[in-house]
Amino acid sequence: MKLNRKLLTTGVLAASLMAGQAWGAVSAQEAAKLGDTLTPMGAEKAGNGGDIPAWTGGLTKAPAGYKGDGVYVNPFPDEKPKFTINQSNVDQYADKLSPGQVAMIKKYSDYVMPVYETHRTAVYPDDVQKQTMANATKVELIKDGNGLGNYVSATPFPIPKNGLEVIWNHITRYRGGSVQRNVGQVTPTVGGDYSVVRFQDELTWRTYLTDYKPDMDPNVLFYFKQAITGPARLAGNVLLVHETIDQVAEPRRAWIYNAGQRRVRRAPQVAYDGPGTAADGMRTSDNFDMYNGAPDKYNWELIGKQEMYIPYNDYKLMDPSLKYDQIIKAGHINQEYTRYELHRVWHIRATLKKGERHVYAQRDFYIDEDSWQAAVIDHYDGRGELWRVAEAHEVQFYDQTVPWYAIEVLYDLLSGRYLALGLTNEEENPYTFGIERQSRDYTPAALRRAGTR
């Protein structure tokens, strides 16, 4: 595949879907590239003849010093930055940065991007890769692109032909099957003062339930439960989500248990630009995990593929020897502990449909080709002005064969504030993979039990 190739315009996609034609599945001949010239997940296996190396299977072996306790050791501890992008040279590298990244560097003199050697560490389990390869010839976009036909699990479109397929790859990507995590979220003031909101999250894919049946909740992708464990004034509040695939036909099912009222209620606001949990207005519901939920409010355009400096292998940000005060600073996180690498990304532009409402009129997504994770997203307001910049600091959970985020950060260029979510440095038992859950654990009745423990 050539860089910057525009595969299909949104207008053609929308017209075809409305006419009843499904998109997504590719021919067996094209799918044969998977595992050959393409990785099993659909990335270009070859390097670029320069700074981007060939993919050779990802990082599957834990480095020396890893104790198997979920405290992830940096596999590249002795590497130093090749160079640093800052205000003095940002224009030189602007063609490999998003407009939002450039804006952050120009706004803050201490916002720098240390660039390291590129390591293509991302890899998924063998069964996920095999299912992804099988999906290539059978999964389709249906219902105006709001649903997936012939889909059960793994990445649906390893050889995408339009922007919406790339976004579905991000939404559905494998994150460990069934996992519990204890993480912190902060929303510093302009001066850098902050308090930590602590969450215990559970995420279980439908197919990983111990009582899974293929005909049970077939429109559900996964179940998500989020309990606030601190501070005391918020502790005990619990959010439950049944993440439906076609959220237009069947909106996301969400409930909140309010510990003060001791009651469970439906939460239809947990979608689109509804307020994020305990986020002080600094993110929308669909900013979580960089982007989530129904894609129906936007037109999706595949701009193409490009090389870009993105946060990658950011193990320093998970180092338990660091305290939050060392990471959280005024205006932005401490960039001294970040790591950027040159990777290939898919550039997708989402433009708000006529007649639809959302606080973001346009979003530009930069999706890592190896993991299908959103690495950077630029958000524009209704005036067309750049407003917020999201960066996800990727790591490979090498003992679980799972790419995910160390933290995700959403910067507000207008207010000078930001939100950082996923902090684990000061948390106990940050990640527990392979938890066993059954369907009754994700019912509204289970919310009350979770909130009163």
Side-chain angles (χ1 to χ4, degrees):
M1 289 182 282
K2 296 180 179 179
L3 297 180
N4 299 316
R5 181 165 64 96
K6 191 169 181 178
L7 301 177
L8 186 68
T9 66
T10 304
V12 173
L13 171 66
S16 299
L17 288 170
M18 287 189 289
Q21 182 176 354
W23 288 87
V26 300
S27 68
Q29 181 178 6
E30 191 167 7
K33 297 176 183 177
L34 296 168
D36 183 21
T37 57
L38 301 178
T39 73
M41 302 302 293
E44 296 175 54
K45 187 178 287 187
N48 68 348
D51 291 333
I52 299 177
W55 185 83
T56 57
L59 179 62
T60 58
K61 183 179 180 181
Y66 179 61
K67 300 177 182 179
D69 56 0
V71 179
Y72 288 90
V73 176
N74 185 356
F76 314 111
D78 299 324
E79 291 189 356
K80 305 297 182 184
K82 297 167 60 178
F83 59 92
T84 298
I85 303 174
N86 53 39
Q87 287 187 349
S88 70
N89 61 8
V90 63
D91 292 337
Q92 177 184 344
Y93 298 103
D95 63 329
K96 289 182 172 60
L97 301 171
S98 80
Q101 290 175 308
V102 172
M104 285 296 295
I105 292 173
K106 291 189 174 183
K107 182 178 178 69
Y108 298 103
S109 60
D110 59 344
Y111 188 92
V112 298
M113 295 173 56
V115 177
Y116 288 75
E117 178 183 351
T118 297
H119 297 281
R120 296 179 67 180
T121 49
V123 60
Y124 288 97
D126 288 343
D127 60 336
V128 174
Q129 294 185 150
K130 289 176 182 177
Q131 183 61 55
T132 295
M133 295 170 72
N135 286 344
T137 57
K138 66 179 184 180
V139 178
E140 300 173 326
L141 284 177
I142 60 174
K143 300 182 179 180
D144 295 342
N146 298 314
L148 302 176
N150 305 316
Y151 175 80
V152 176
S153 65
T155 298
F157 306 113
I159 306 179
K161 300 298 183 183
N162 57 71
L164 193 48
E165 291 176 6
V166 175
I167 293 302
W168 273 111
N169 287 349
H170 165 78
I171 291 171
T172 60
R173 74 195 191 284
Y174 176 78
R175 275 157 275 175
S178 189
V179 59
Q180 183 181 85
R181 64 177 191 163
N182 294 298
V183 297
Q185 172 182 282
V186 298
T187 53
T189 65
V190 173
D193 295 329
Y194 68 93
S195 60
V196 182
V197 177
R198 290 181 159 88
F199 298 104
Q200 183 177 85
D201 293 348
E202 287 185 13
L203 182 68
T204 300
W205 254 247
R206 182 176 72 99
T207 55
Y208 281 79
L209 292 171
T210 57
D211 58 343
Y212 166 70
K213 297 177 182 177
D215 59 348
M216 182 176 68
D217 262 355
N219 190 38
V220 168
L221 180 64
F222 59 75
Y223 302 90
F224 176 75
K225 188 160 59 178
Q226 183 183 69
I228 300 179
T229 59
R233 62 184 174 82
L234 298 174
N237 293 340
V238 189
L239 169 67
L240 171 67
V241 172
H242 295 182
E243 185 72 350
T244 53
I245 298 174
D246 184 349
Q247 294 189 14
V248 176
E250 183 184 12
R252 167 186 287 163
R253 309 173 203 153
W255 298 264
I256 289 178
Y257 173 75
N258 185 294
Q261 299 174 353
R262 296 187 178 181
R263 61 188 292 259
V264 176
R265 58 182 175 83
R266 292 298 295 262
Q269 76 277 13
V270 182
Y272 300 113
D273 58 1
T277 304
D280 199 20
M282 291 304 300
R283 72 166 175 86
T284 61
S285 288
D286 61 8
N287 277 140
F288 186 79
D289 193 43
M290 294 293 280
Y291 177 78
N292 72 87
D296 61 302
K297 287 186 178 291
Y298 292 94
N299 290 314
W300 299 89
E301 180 183 4
L302 178 55
I303 304 299
K305 214 172 181 187
Q306 65 186 69
E307 296 178 0
M308 184 173 176
Y309 294 112
I310 60 176
Y312 225 90
N313 293 311
D314 268 298
Y315 292 92
K316 286 184 181 179
L317 289 173
M318 301 178 75
D319 189 339
S321 70
L322 290 179
K323 299 299 182 183
Y324 292 155
D325 282 347
Q326 295 174 270
I327 297 174
I328 306 304
K329 303 296 181 183
H332 55 79
I333 64 171
N334 189 339
Q335 291 292 105
E336 173 187 346
Y337 301 117
T338 64
R339 176 185 177 117
Y340 292 79
E341 299 178 359
L342 186 66
H343 288 262
R344 286 184 291 246
V345 299
W346 296 91
H347 180 188
I348 312 300
R349 179 165 294 153
T351 307
L352 194 62
K353 291 179 179 177
K354 185 177 181 180
E356 293 286 359
R357 292 185 178 182
H358 197 290
V359 295
Y360 302 134
Q362 178 181 311
R363 292 161 130 156
D364 277 59
F365 294 73
Y366 301 88
I367 309 289
D368 171 40
E369 70 163 345
D370 285 326
S371 66
W372 295 111
Q373 297 192 130
V376 178
I377 307 176
D378 289 346
H379 304 73
Y380 296 80
D381 63 19
R383 302 167 299 173
E385 298 293 326
L386 184 61
W387 178 12
R388 289 175 172 169
V389 183
E391 286 193 318
H393 294 263
E394 187 270 359
V395 292
Q396 177 72 20
F397 291 81
Y398 33 73
D399 61 337
Q400 302 294 328
T401 327
V402 176
W404 210 351
Y405 303 139
I407 63 171
E408 48 186 296
V409 189
L410 183 63
Y411 297 110
D412 190 316
L413 288 165
L414 302 184
S415 72
R417 297 184 63 196
Y418 67 97
L419 176 145
L421 172 64
L423 294 158
T424 59
N425 311 71
E426 297 182 14
E427 310 305 314
E428 294 184 5
N429 304 316
Y431 283 86
T432 304
F433 290 91
I435 62 172
E436 293 189 355
R437 296 292 183 268
Q438 52 187 316
S439 54
R440 73 175 185 177
D441 294 319
Y442 296 111
T443 62
L447 276 187
R448 186 181 298 275
R449 297 195 298 271
T452 55
R453 285 174 185 168

